[in-house]
Amino acid sequence: MPLLSRRRFIGITAAAAGLGLVRFNRAAQADAHLVTWRGEAMGAVATLQVHHRDRTAAERLVERALAEVRRLEAVFSLYREDSALVALNRHGVLVAPPADLVALLGESRRWWELTGGAFDPTVQPLWTLYWGHFSKPNPDPQGPPEPELREALGRVGFDRVRFDSNRIVFARRDMGLTLNGIAQGYVTDRVVDILRAGGITSSLVDMGEPRALGTRLLGEPWRVGIVDPDCPGEVGETLEVVDQAIATSGGYGFHFDAAGHFNHLLDPRTGASARLHRSVTVVLPRATAADALSTAFSLLPPEGVGRTLQRLGEGQARLITMEGERYTLNA
């Protein structure tokens, strides 16, 4: 699955209405300087909204950011046979790894430690087990057999990944990494860094996880829609953000089985699918952190989420439990 399969600039222009006099107001002028790109990133819909008075300069800057997205796909993708991550999973060792892969593993270690192992990118063997089980004809609806689950769990554990700038090594054969719970946030942060270095102070970047840079041109907050977990095609809530990132996780995103009992949020400690929350949304300054913690918080009860935020010292989590209870927890 390509990280970036199509791209398209959409011009937002303001046209005079009626007699073409006072209707061209400040809001219309702001929209006239908004350059929008829509496409796909990390297999999901992606968007860039950039305020810039020079449209040509803005489009060049967006192209530079998209080139960075394509470069990172060659590092993090599980779907490209030539990616660094696929090579690592295939051989169990990667010599002279890309700096971005080492950096993201460093981030992963931080969130693995902070969440007591709830965030763990070595769950790929569990994913492979569930996918293989439910891809068979007439699979057992109760899931993989217990011995197979225990064997797969024996190949999970981020403490068994050794890495530095020289090499990455798995301590056990047949381990595997998936960065799907953090890479979208990392890519979003890299795009924001590029835009900021290019002089952009007002942008909304969404490479799978949205992050606002500054405010909209007139000082208004950016508005980000949160998926309704009961109707995934609809927006259930809208948040206003300034210089913040938002990440949302929920079992509604993917199910291995037709009945929907086994979702993609796999607990590295038990091998089971997440069953505590319908939806978890995390608000933090950087998308990498928000992405990782929305994944981990899907596996933690509200009190565990609250303790983690207190240890972190910043951020907010918004939970909708399976019973429909709503919690808003702050650091």
Side-chain angles (χ1 to χ4, degrees):
M1 182 184 298
L3 179 74
L4 192 68
S5 63
R6 60 187 173 88
R7 57 186 181 174
R8 183 160 60 105
F9 282 110
I10 302 173
I12 307 296
T13 59
L19 297 177
L21 298 175
V22 296
R23 305 292 289 274
F24 190 76
N25 55 23
R26 292 180 67 220
Q29 291 175 22
D31 283 345
H33 300 302
L34 180 64
V35 173
T36 299
W37 171 89
R38 292 177 184 167
E40 293 181 6
M42 306 293 278
V45 175
T47 61
L48 282 173
Q49 297 182 61
V50 178
H51 279 297
H52 199 298
R53 293 186 178 278
D54 185 335
R55 183 175 187 80
T56 301
E59 291 182 354
R60 283 198 300 265
L61 197 53
V62 169
E63 289 287 358
R64 191 184 311 162
L66 297 180
E68 177 71 354
V69 173
R70 291 189 290 270
R71 185 186 70 81
L72 291 173
E73 180 217 4
V75 178
F76 302 139
S77 176
L78 276 175
Y79 306 102
R80 282 183 50 162
E81 288 300 313
D82 62 342
S83 78
L85 182 59
V86 167
L88 172 61
N89 285 345
R90 181 184 299 121
H91 302 295
V93 60
L94 188 65
V95 177
D100 287 287
L101 183 53
V102 176
L104 193 50
L105 290 181
E107 288 273 357
S108 297
R109 174 185 284 166
R110 179 187 182 191
W111 306 120
W112 173 71
E113 292 174 346
L114 184 72
T115 62
F119 177 80
D120 191 327
T122 65
V123 294
Q124 186 62 17
L126 292 171
W127 174 280
T128 302
L129 173 65
Y130 279 97
W131 179 262
H133 175 80
F134 285 107
S135 296
K136 298 175 184 176
N138 302 313
D140 183 347
Q142 299 303 311
E146 187 64 27
E148 293 183 16
L149 183 59
R150 286 198 303 269
E151 193 279 331
L153 272 172
R155 293 183 278 124
V156 174
F158 195 62
D159 54 333
R160 297 174 178 176
V161 181
R162 310 285 186 263
F163 61 94
D164 57 29
S165 60
N166 296 312
R167 69 182 63 227
I168 304 170
V169 181
F170 294 154
R172 176 172 173 172
R173 291 185 59 186
D174 299 324
M175 291 182 68
L177 281 170
T178 172
L179 298 173
N180 289 350
I182 191 171
Q184 288 179 323
Y186 185 89
V187 172
T188 293
D189 286 338
R190 284 294 301 126
V191 170
V192 169
D193 291 344
I194 288 171
L195 295 179
R196 179 183 281 125
I200 299 298
T201 59
S202 176
S203 177
L204 183 65
V205 177
D206 186 351
M207 297 292 114
E209 306 296 352
R211 179 179 168 188
L213 175 57
T215 65
R216 294 180 64 88
L217 199 60
L218 299 181
E220 300 172 348
W222 294 94
R223 294 170 59 83
V224 176
I226 306 302
V227 172
D228 184 341
D230 297 320
C231 301
E234 300 179 8
V235 173
E237 184 179 10
T238 300
L239 301 184
E240 295 186 342
V241 291
V242 176
D243 281 326
Q244 295 285 309
I246 295 177
T248 299
S249 295
Y252 56 82
F254 176 84
H255 292 102
F256 293 101
D257 60 324
H261 297 310
F262 297 90
N263 62 62
H264 67 293
L265 296 168
L266 298 169
D267 193 325
R269 302 160 300 180
T270 67
S273 290
R275 302 188 189 282
L276 291 174
H277 310 295
R278 295 182 187 177
S279 175
V280 174
T281 296
V282 175
V283 183
L284 279 166
R286 292 187 66 83
T288 307
D291 196 2
L293 289 182
S294 71
T295 302
F297 288 172
S298 298
L299 305 168
L300 297 177
E303 56 270 24
V305 172
R307 286 194 298 268
T308 302
L309 287 175
Q310 290 298 317
R311 288 195 294 271
L312 182 61
E314 63 178 349
Q316 180 185 91
R318 305 168 77 90
L319 314 177
I320 304 176
T321 69
M322 286 299 183
E323 294 75 27
E325 296 179 289
R326 293 175 180 263
Y327 294 85
T328 298
L329 305 171
N330 295 285

